[in-house]
Structure formats: C-alpha cells, structure tokens
C-alpha cells in the first residue's frame, strides 16, 4: 500500500533555480527520491540532462555531495565510494550513519554505455542504489535512439521509426539475483517514494527504473508530463512492479491487468498524444504499425505475468 502523497516529508533535496526544462520528469522523480533518501546520501551522475540541469558548485541544484562520472562507470564508481565509506567507518575515520550511495543515470547511461560496469556491480551485490530515469532516448544530445527506445519511435537516428523493440532492463537486473528491483513513474509518486524507502533499508544492490516522459523527445506539451506517464501505465506500455529477493509483485494499476481484473487501455490514444509516434502513424501503413506496437505491449504483459510465477 503506497504512502499517501499528503504524508510525504517536506524535505527538498532538489533546490529551486536548477536548469531543467519546465515539466522535466527526471527532476520531478529526483524530488521524490530526495524525500525518500533524505540528506545523508552521495549522488553519482553520468552525463545526461540531470547533469546539464544541476548547475555548478557552489550553486548546485541538488542538495547532496554530487560526483560527475563517465558514462561507462556508474557501477564501478558507486562501488568504490560505498566501499570507501564502509572501510572508513571500520577504521574509525567516519562517524554517524553511513550515507546512501546512489547513481542517477539516464537510459543511455544504463541500458547501453553503462551496462557493463552496472552488471558487474550487480553481480558483486555492491551496496548501492542505481536509479535509471528512462526517457527512452539520449535527450541531452538532441534525442537519439537508445536500447530503451520502443519500436516505432521517431528519433534523430531513427527518422522512419525504430525497427527493434526496447529491452527489458529491469528484468535483466533481476536476473543478476540482486535483493531489490523496482519500476516506477512520475504519475505515481507515492509508489515511487515507498520503493525508494524500501531500497534504502536493504543492504546490497538495488535497481530502480523510473519512466520519465520527456516533452522534448516525445513531442508533447510540457504541461502533460504526468498525464503521459499515467497513460503509459494505463495502456500497459509501462508496467509497475517490484521484486524482493527475486519474488515479483505487481503494483496497481498494473496488478489489475496481470490478474485479469481489468484490461489495459489500447495504446492508440497514448501513441497519438506524442509527436514521436503520431507523425509516423499517419501514413497508409498506420494500422500495421499500431498493431506492431500493441503486439509488443501485449507480449510484455503476457511475458511478465508468466515470469512472476517463477520463484524457486
Ligand atoms: C562516452 C560518451 N559518449 C557520449 C557523450 C555525450 N553525451 C552526453 S549526455 C548524452 C545523452 C545521455 O542520454 P541518457 O543517459 O539517456 O540521459 P538523458 O540525456 O536522456 O537525460 C550523451 C550521448 C558523453 N558525454 N560520453
Ligand atoms: S530534455 Fe527532457 S529530460 Fe532533458 S531536461 Fe528537458 S524535459 Fe528533462
Ligand atoms: Mg535518456
């Protein structure tokens, strides 16, 4: 049961005056993460919009010690820092509660360029939280395709629509046998908050992926970020789930589709609300293209329903 949004702490770790676009989903998500983690944390960032938005010392937009690292090294850098603070504590050179060490990366820095070091950190079960805010493209450099970009999407490197489906990164992380994996999105802030609070309490590797509809890449009105996020979940294009020690449970409204109590909405309306699809869905082959995307969504729901039954 998610905490009510009215009961979220007043604490703000994302400060006013940062350089993000209006309606930026990454910044909204980070605000919720800040409420859940509190001030005692160390943040690592790979190159992405969240770095471009944060400003420069001494006027950082994020109220944590922040370290900018290379694209490929979120897993290894966060591992080094978490081990360093634990050893300092053992040697009596660090007093008080250990900080939460977390990496904050985009889908480019997680699915693609950062995957190798992240996979290695997961296999070692390092005591970190890796957050992927997934806007389904390399937004900061002008919207190029990533491994998280869904089939049929226009990006500057897929001008006629991406041909391949996205990969299921959260499931790949689960298959590393780590203690906690979760998916979330900005339209369900209390669900996100609860998941981060839980991750903070668990020792070992935690992975949380947040769908982050970006008006620039997805081509919608920046006032509609939350609406797009909700439509993604209601259509089943984004599934809300978590896995404690390998056991998958689904969160509402996804849980209702999985149990068959309710059907997800058709993806058409969700797709047509976004310029990155709608431009490509106006031609003579529109019906087949929509059917192909709907097929990917239906397959993923069916696959996750069956995958959740496996717990040995
Ligand atoms: C090795 C390397 N390649 C390319 C870049 C240029 N670059 C900076 S940010 C960025 C996009 C990152 O995409 P993502 O991780 O999805 O974050 P987003 O921009 O979408 O927030 C790229 C390609 C870089 N900094 N380092
Ligand atoms: S381009 Fe998208 S992800 Fe980047 S700062 Fe703007 S709204 Fe946020
Ligand atoms: Mg991205």
């Amino acid at each position: 049961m998610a905490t009510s949004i009215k009961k979220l702490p007043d604490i703000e770790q994302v400060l006013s005056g940062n350089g993000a676009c209006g309606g930026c989903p990454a910044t909204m998500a980070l605000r919720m993460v800040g409420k859940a983690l509190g001030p005692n944390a160390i943040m690592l960032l790979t190159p992405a919009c969240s770095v471009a938005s944060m400003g420069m010392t001494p006027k950082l937009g994020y109220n944590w010690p922040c370290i900018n690292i290379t694209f490929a090294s979120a897993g290894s850098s966060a591992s080094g820092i978490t081990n360093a603070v634990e050893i300092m504590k053992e040697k009596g050179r660090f007093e008080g509660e250990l900080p939460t060490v977390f990496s904050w990366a985009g889908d480019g820095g997680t699915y693609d360029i950062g995957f190798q070091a992240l996979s290695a950190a997961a296999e070692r079960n390092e005591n970190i939280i890796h957050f992927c805010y997934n806007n389904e493209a390399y937004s900061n450099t002008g919207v190029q395709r990533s491994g998280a970009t869904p089939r049929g999407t226009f990006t500057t490197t897929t001008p006629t629509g991406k041909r391949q489906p996205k990969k299921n990164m959260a499931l790949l992380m689960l298959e590393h046998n780590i203690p906690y994996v979760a998916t979330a999105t900005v339209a369900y802030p209390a669900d996100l908050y609860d998941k981060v609070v839980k991750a903070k309490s668990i020792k070992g590797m935690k992975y949380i992926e947040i769908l982050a509809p970006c008006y620039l890449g997805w081509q919608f009105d920046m006032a509609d970020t939350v609406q797009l996020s909700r439509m993604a979940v209601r259509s089943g294009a984004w599934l809300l789930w978590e896995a404690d020690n390998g056991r998958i449970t689904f969160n509402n409204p996804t849980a209702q589709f999985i149990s068959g109590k309710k059907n997800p909405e058709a993806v058409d309306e969700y797709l047509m609300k976004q310029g990155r699809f709608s431009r490509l869905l106006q031609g003579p082959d529109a019906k087949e293209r929509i059917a192909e995307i709907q097929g990917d969504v239906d397959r993923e729901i069916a696959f996750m329903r069956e995958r959740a039954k496996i717990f040995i």
Side-chain angles (χ1 to χ4, degrees):
M1 185 68 174
T3 307
S4 155
I5 192 162
K6 290 185 190 152
K7 292 187 184 151
L8 296 183
D10 290 337
I11 182 166
E12 297 292 354
Q13 291 299 117
V14 176
L15 306 174
S16 56
N18 67 67
C21 305
C24 173
T27 314
M28 280 183 206
L30 187 57
R31 191 172 164 222
M32 284 303 135
V33 168
K35 288 178 181 293
L37 292 183
N40 190 21
I42 299 174
M43 180 183 199
L44 293 98
L45 300 103
T46 59
C49 279
S50 285
V51 172
S53 311
M54 73 195 278
M56 285 185 7
T57 306
K59 293 188 175 174
L60 277 189
Y62 311 147
N63 200 16
W64 292 288
C66 295
I67 307 169
N68 289 332
I69 50 170
T70 63
F71 242 133
S73 69
S76 43
S77 301
S79 302
I81 295 198
T82 195
N83 282 295
V85 288
E86 281 176 20
I87 290 166
M88 284 167 75
K89 175 98 179 170
E90 267 171 38
K91 294 190 170 177
R93 285 161 55 196
F94 189 98
E95 282 179 13
E97 202 185 319
L98 283 173
T100 304
V101 177
F102 72 102
S103 38
W104 183 258
D107 47 299
T110 301
Y111 281 59
D112 302 338
I113 311 175
F115 185 63
Q116 184 176 344
L118 182 62
S119 172
E123 189 272 329
R124 293 192 303 270
N125 197 24
E126 299 285 1
N127 189 26
I128 57 177
I129 309 176
H130 182 92
F131 291 96
C132 170
Y133 70 89
N134 176 6
N135 52 21
E136 299 189 332
Y138 290 77
S139 286
N140 188 48
T141 40
V143 193
Q144 294 83 29
R145 92 194 270 288
S146 78
T149 307
R151 196 202 301 269
T153 308
F154 167 89
T155 67
T156 52
T157 47
T158 54
T160 56
K162 190 184 168 196
R163 301 277 177 229
Q164 304 81 11
K166 62 182 178 179
K167 59 181 168 183
N168 188 337
M169 182 69 196
L171 188 62
L172 285 172
M173 293 308 289
L174 178 72
E175 304 301 3
H176 287 74
N177 298 317
I178 59 176
Y180 190 67
V181 176
T183 64
T185 186
V186 288
Y188 300 86
D191 174 73
L192 168 60
Y193 174 85
D194 284 350
K195 287 169 174 170
V196 180
V197 169
K198 191 188 278 186
K200 185 185 168 184
S201 73
I202 297 169
K203 177 121 174 122
M205 180 83 190
K206 288 82 58 178
Y207 176 81
I208 299 182
E209 182 165 338
I210 306 162
L211 182 73
C214 159
Y215 88 96
L216 184 84
W218 297 25
Q219 300 170 15
F220 60 82
D221 190 310
M222 62 163 73
D224 293 340
T225 302
V226 171
Q227 191 191 355
L228 261 295
S229 163
R230 195 176 297 116
M231 288 174 93
V233 174
R234 287 188 178 166
S235 63
W238 185 251
L239 304 179
L240 295 177
W241 58 273
E242 60 190 317
D244 286 278
N245 291 315
R247 187 187 289 273
I248 299 174
T249 50
F250 296 94
N251 314 104
N252 274 330
T254 303
Q256 294 175 319
F257 313 149
I258 298 289
S259 67
K261 274 193 195 147
K262 209 173 163 185
N263 287 327
E265 290 164 7
V267 287
D268 311 36
E269 210 184 318
Y270 170 62
L271 300 180
M272 297 313 273
K273 190 94 180 132
Q274 306 168 53
R276 64 175 181 158
F277 291 110
S278 62
R279 271 202 280 163
L280 303 172
L281 294 179
Q282 280 157 6
D285 58 349
K287 267 194 178 161
E288 292 96 275
R289 283 189 174 228
I290 293 175
E292 205 172 33
I293 298 169
Q294 183 71 63
D296 286 342
V297 170
D298 293 346
R299 200 163 29 253
E300 199 66 19
I301 294 173
F303 178 81
M304 287 304 292
R305 181 186 289 123
E306 294 308 309
R307 177 62 186 80
K309 292 176 187 163
I310 304 172
F311 182 74
I312 300 164

